[in-house]
Amino acid sequence: QVQLVESGGGLVQAGGSLRLSCVDSGRTISNYAMGWFRQARGKEREFVAGISRSGGSTDYVDSVKGRFTISRDNTKNTVYLQMNSPKPEDTAVYYCAGGLLYRNGYDYWGQGTQVTVSS
């Protein structure tokens, strides 16, 4: 059973860096493509980044390309989102998600972690 728990959120200055982690306590993460989503106040949830089961393929929303990096360590049942040079508009609740097929939807979700970027 997939049980996703995010951590690493908090307050960061624009231009700084922050790394989010998502651990699958069910220890099944290697079976799933993984993704990060975010939802800002008053806005719809949006896709941020995705990674295939092996980690060989990744996708990003245009607004974070070149600044954010998604990675995974299946031996640690963990997916990461490295956020470099964040901007105030990156402020949102960030959610980790897992799905059986890469680029084909996500079935499992974490509870989210708040990221606030100050200017």
Side-chain angles (χ1 to χ4, degrees):
Q1 184 177 358
V2 181
Q3 297 176 322
L4 303 175
V5 179
E6 302 96 335
S7 62
L11 177 65
V12 61
Q13 281 194 327
S17 64
L18 196 68
R19 188 176 78 162
L20 305 184
S21 298
C22 172
V23 176
D24 171 22
S25 59
R27 300 186 179 184
T28 62
I29 203 169
S30 61
N31 295 328
Y32 299 91
M34 301 297 295
W36 286 96
F37 288 73
R38 65 186 179 188
Q39 186 167 20
R41 187 175 300 177
K43 295 187 177 181
E44 294 185 354
R45 185 174 62 193
E46 69 167 345
F47 170 82
V48 176
I51 189 167
S52 61
R53 284 186 289 180
S54 67
S57 297
T58 57
D59 288 306
Y60 298 91
V61 67
D62 286 346
S63 60
V64 308
K65 284 181 180 177
R67 300 188 297 120
F68 292 7
T69 302
I70 188 171
S71 62
R72 66 191 298 161
D73 186 341
N74 288 341
T75 65
K76 296 182 178 180
N77 293 292
T78 304
V79 176
Y80 305 97
L81 184 68
Q82 179 68 42
M83 304 172 63
N84 294 332
S85 300
K87 304 175 181 179
E89 52 263 43
D90 294 320
T91 295
V93 177
Y94 283 72
Y95 298 90
C96 174
L100 287 174
L101 297 176
Y102 184 51
R103 298 174 178 164
N104 196 35
Y106 294 88
D107 305 299
Y108 305 99
W109 297 84
Q111 83 290 348
T113 185
Q114 175 70 47
V115 172
T116 302
V117 184
S118 63
S119 57

